[in-house]
Amino acid sequence: MSYYFSKVLSFAFDAAVAETTRKLKDEGFGVITDIDVTATLKTKIGVEFRPYRILGACNPSLAHEALKLEDKVGTMLPCNVIVQELAPRQVEVAAIDPVASMSAIDNPALLEKAQIVRERLEKVIRSL
């Protein structure tokens, strides 16, 4: 089982981040964290790195349900979605497969919720 699903787009990097954020919102996810890996690596260790962002996507209702089922599941939240530039106007968007990550927890009810999140994230990736 792969731990992510992805799609390569013919977008400028910033446009891909904006469109991914919009599509996540359409599926009920907010971006609660936005890590600019490029800037962080430049600031912290002085290296140049391709445009790369990690968007922490959260569907509050589903996160709440998951937390009620398993109080430590917050260690696996939010769902990370990456946007990385592979070449000019060639950007990959990849999302974690929550079923793959949640399978480490022996809780069938939680896996049911993870399946719902997977379907929504897959829909986001397909719609880009």
Side-chain angles (χ1 to χ4, degrees), residues 101-117:
S101 61
M102 297 297 165
S103 66
I105 302 170
D106 185 22
N107 185 328
L110 184 63
L111 281 177
E112 288 177 25
K113 299 301 178 193
Q115 182 61 41
I116 295 167
V117 176

Side-chain angles (χ1 to χ4, degrees), residues 8 12 16 22 24 26 37 50-51 54 56 64 76 89 95 102 109 119-120 125:
V8 176
R22 189 177 73 75
L24 285 164
D26 290 348
V37 173
R50 68 186 173 278
I54 303 171
H64 180 240
M76 298 180 169
R89 295 200 55 81
M102 297 297 165
E119 290 167 6
R120 290 184 182 190
I125 298 297

Side-chain angles (χ1 to χ4, degrees), residues 19 47 54:
E19 184 67 4
V47 299
I54 303 171

